[in-house]
Amino acid sequence: LCPREMMFWFYCPIKLPGMLGFAYPPNLHQFYPLMRLAEADLHEEQWRSSYVYITAKTLYTTPENPGNRPGWHSAGFLTDDINYIWCDANPTIFWEGGPVRFSTDHNVALAEMDDVAESDPAGHRVYPVKHLLRLDQSVLHKVATDVRPGIRTFVKISVSTERYALTGNSINHGLAADWKSEARQAERNCPRGAL
């Protein structure tokens, strides 16, 4: 994949439960190979019964603006959602320490994640760019801190049994998803709303 267009698609729905194929805006077609890999990784029934969303960002990134959420966190915190991520520069940093139980309070959990991951630099790992990685809520990660300024593409494919229906999420007009949006929370960036 060699994206060339600056873009910012955020949790755009590309599949609804029961759909066999995808419905996505034409300029997201370039990410079809990643969508197929995610589909092949999951059990057929899990895929068929889920919503699938794509986040695709091609942005100019700098150390001050790395393009993704800073700090240690987990994708799909307190959910069973599966997320697949791919980037072509400034790879994500992962913490591969042992299993840890975190508070169910989002703000407390973020501080706990920061403490545990920062206290164990030997557990930090970076995978090569242009590889699709599977994450669940147990995978702690953060955006690279030694960002080289330049264009970076980041793609996330999110698979969930829940609708991501927050104001600000991208709308797929070809899919005609007609759900009502909820207000985005100031304290938690959960794409599906309050948990």
Side-chain angles (χ1 to χ4, degrees):
L1 299 175
C2 295
R4 297 180 182 272
E5 174 190 12
M6 294 286 257
M7 64 173 63
F8 191 102
W9 291 86
F10 194 63
Y11 294 117
C12 180
I14 57 172
K15 186 188 118 20
L16 302 177
M19 285 178 61
L20 298 179
F22 301 103
Y24 44 82
N27 54 346
L28 293 179
H29 180 73
Q30 62 188 314
F31 303 117
Y32 181 74
L34 299 179
M35 295 177 220
R36 292 288 295 144
L37 287 170
E39 178 182 16
D41 182 61
L42 293 172
H43 296 293
E44 185 177 335
E45 183 50 40
Q46 183 181 14
W47 183 262
R48 183 177 289 125
S49 63
S50 295
Y51 293 91
V52 179
Y53 307 89
I54 186 168
T55 294
K57 298 188 270 186
T58 299
L59 304 169
Y60 189 85
T61 58
T62 65
E64 299 78 28
N65 182 18
N68 276 0
R69 176 187 188 145
W72 292 99
H73 60 281
S74 77
F77 182 61
L78 300 178
T79 72
D80 292 325
D81 296 358
I82 301 294
N83 290 277
Y84 297 86
I85 64 170
W86 180 98
C87 70
D88 64 359
N90 302 321
T92 301
I93 302 169
F94 294 90
W95 178 69
E96 295 188 343
V100 178
R101 294 183 69 96
F102 296 107
S103 169
T104 57
D105 178 286
H106 178 69
N107 291 321
V108 172
L110 283 174
E112 292 171 345
M113 290 175 192
D114 230 25
D115 288 345
V116 72
E118 286 301 320
S119 69
D120 179 23
H124 296 185
R125 180 158 181 192
V126 175
Y127 292 90
V129 297
K130 296 192 175 186
H131 282 70
L132 188 66
L133 305 171
R134 177 183 168 147
L135 287 65
D136 62 24
Q137 70 162 326
S138 70
V139 179
L140 292 188
H141 60 284
K142 69 176 182 176
V143 67
T145 51
D146 59 343
V147 173
R148 289 185 317 264
I151 300 293
R152 177 184 190 249
T153 295
F154 171 82
V155 178
K156 178 164 66 170
I157 298 166
S158 302
V159 180
S160 179
T161 57
E162 303 292 329
R163 292 185 297 179
Y164 290 3
L166 290 185
T167 301
N169 289 358
S170 295
I171 298 169
N172 182 343
H173 297 279
L175 193 59
D178 60 355
W179 56 77
K180 191 174 184 181
S181 294
E182 297 178 34
R184 187 169 298 278
Q185 300 175 39
E187 294 179 355
R188 179 172 161 83
N189 188 28
C190 181
R192 67 164 68 165
L195 291 176

